[in-house]
Amino acid sequence: MKHKNIFPITRFAPSPTGYLHLGHVAAALFARQKATSEGHFLLRLEDIDLQRCRPEFCSAIEEDLQWLGFTWKKPVWKQSERISEYRQTLDTLSARGLTYRCFCSRSDIAREIADSAHAPHQSPDGGHVYPGTCRHLSSREITQKLAEGRPWVTRLNMAAALSDITSPLTWREDDLTIVPCLPESFGDIVLARRDIAASYHLCVTHDDAKQGVTCVTRGDDLRAATAVHRLLQTVMSWPEPTYAFHPLLRDEHGRRLAKRDGAQSIRQMRACGLSSSDILLQAKEAMDKAVGPS
């Protein structure tokens, strides 16, 4: 199902686990550019991880973007306020037999993979492909493990989900390139945890659909994950957006700019005397350099 809206709608959706840095600004500029003057640019805060995300960072993100001259269609969506909707989607998938509870720890999975003769064991995003140990647990076994207080996650039954699809999966890039999807290479992905109501994959596809996003902009590091998102969109009969990818900004050592690695924040740059125009120009020039010659 394609979007009927002819005007582009894009979104910038940071996680409020720290202050914005130059890489965020470049990503926001990229998304705003794709919206064009006729569409809408949205701000969404992906704060589903309540242990790492903090309210003060939510406020700071909005303040920094406003200082930089960004405007967006209100209201700002926060994932922490939409948990009931994600649960409804999970319930829908579960009612169709497309999910199951998994009680395996990371060490359990590593041991199972080490003992298996089958390959490959690594997904496109570098993680382990879950070997399906809990896929066929009986109701009695599940009840017993829950009674024991065993930690659990909800996984997508990838084979069952793919069996519901009758035509090849693809995604469309905004330059009209058609890219084939292979979500099965990710295995049975996690859709929810006991302590986190829904995974990134579920939240982002749900919110993009409900907000009417017509062009999803994201970093190249999430290109492969788009296959999983197209699967969820198809299974849930959500509209299909186009996709536009941008390179990640990197420091002088070639490392991607990241909060955890101490990337200088916009607030620090502002405190050093840089104007909003200075920072926007730096972000644009850094993105142009990362993209390279056309």
Side-chain angles (χ1 to χ4, degrees):
M1 179 174 61
K2 304 294 191 298
H3 281 284
K4 296 179 181 179
N5 193 330
I6 62 173
F7 299 119
I9 300 175
T10 66
R11 84 296 191 272
F12 174 54
S15 295
T17 56
Y19 296 113
L20 295 184
H21 54 64
L22 203 64
H24 292 120
V25 178
L29 284 172
F30 186 80
R32 187 174 69 176
Q33 179 186 22
K34 293 296 181 181
T36 74
S37 60
E38 298 164 326
H40 292 302
F41 170 77
L42 307 175
L43 173 63
R44 185 169 74 221
L45 298 176
E46 299 193 339
D47 62 342
I48 198 71
D49 187 342
L50 300 180
Q51 292 186 345
R52 297 178 61 234
C53 298
R54 288 158 46 182
E56 57 266 36
F57 292 141
C58 292
S59 300
I61 286 170
E62 293 193 50
E63 291 169 4
D64 287 347
L65 289 174
Q66 287 171 346
W67 178 72
L68 288 166
F70 285 87
T71 60
W72 50 85
K73 187 179 180 182
K74 304 296 193 294
V76 174
W77 279 27
K78 294 182 179 179
Q79 289 182 341
S80 59
E81 298 172 353
R82 312 188 67 77
I83 290 175
S84 62
E85 293 191 35
Y86 306 141
R87 285 176 176 155
Q88 289 176 11
T89 297
L90 281 169
D91 289 344
T92 298
L93 293 170
S94 297
R96 292 166 56 184
L98 302 183
T99 70
Y100 62 92
R101 280 187 174 171
C102 169
F103 299 88
C104 295
S105 65
R106 286 194 177 95
S107 59
D108 292 334
I109 295 171
R111 184 166 52 252
E112 182 78 14
I113 289 172
D115 292 343
S116 173
H118 302 291
H121 299 308
Q122 195 171 61
S123 66
D125 61 2
H128 289 304
V129 174
Y130 179 64
T133 310
C134 293
R135 191 181 300 133
H136 302 296
L137 289 178
S138 66
S139 298
R140 181 178 179 180
E141 290 172 310
I142 293 172
T143 300
Q144 180 178 347
K145 291 178 184 295
L146 289 173
E148 294 170 355
R150 294 276 297 274
W152 53 268
V153 300
T154 299
R155 290 186 180 273
L156 177 71
N157 188 324
M158 183 63 72
L162 286 170
S163 70
D164 273 3
I165 297 174
T166 58
S167 58
L169 278 175
T170 61
W171 80 67
R172 295 181 301 123
E173 298 199 14
D174 69 336
D175 63 357
L176 303 182
T177 300
I178 304 298
V179 182
C181 293
L182 297 172
E184 59 269 30
S185 61
F186 284 84
D188 294 352
I189 60 168
V190 173
L191 293 179
R193 301 181 185 277
R194 186 171 63 174
D195 56 339
I196 300 179
S199 71
Y200 164 77
H201 298 303
L202 179 64
C203 294
V204 71
T205 49
H206 174 281
D207 289 348
D208 285 342
K210 300 305 179 182
Q211 287 191 287
V213 172
T214 62
C215 179
V216 173
T217 62
R218 56 178 41 153
D220 280 331
D221 59 324
L222 290 172
R223 183 183 292 270
T226 304
V228 172
H229 301 170
R230 284 292 300 120
L231 172 63
L232 291 173
Q233 289 161 357
T234 304
V235 168
M236 291 300 299
S237 298
W238 287 333
E240 176 189 350
T242 59
Y243 291 85
F245 301 92
H246 60 79
L248 302 176
L249 299 195
R250 300 185 179 276
D251 63 19
E252 63 273 16
H253 304 294
R255 299 175 304 186
R256 59 175 290 189
L257 295 184
K259 289 169 283 194
R260 65 178 177 271
D261 292 329
Q264 189 178 34
S265 71
I266 301 308
R267 299 201 155 198
Q268 290 172 321
M269 297 173 75
R270 184 178 180 181
C272 290
L274 272 68
S275 68
S276 58
S277 298
D278 293 332
I279 294 173
L280 291 172
L281 181 60
Q282 280 194 29
K284 182 181 182 305
E285 290 179 342
M287 180 65 80
D288 289 344
K289 181 179 179 181
V291 171
S294 56

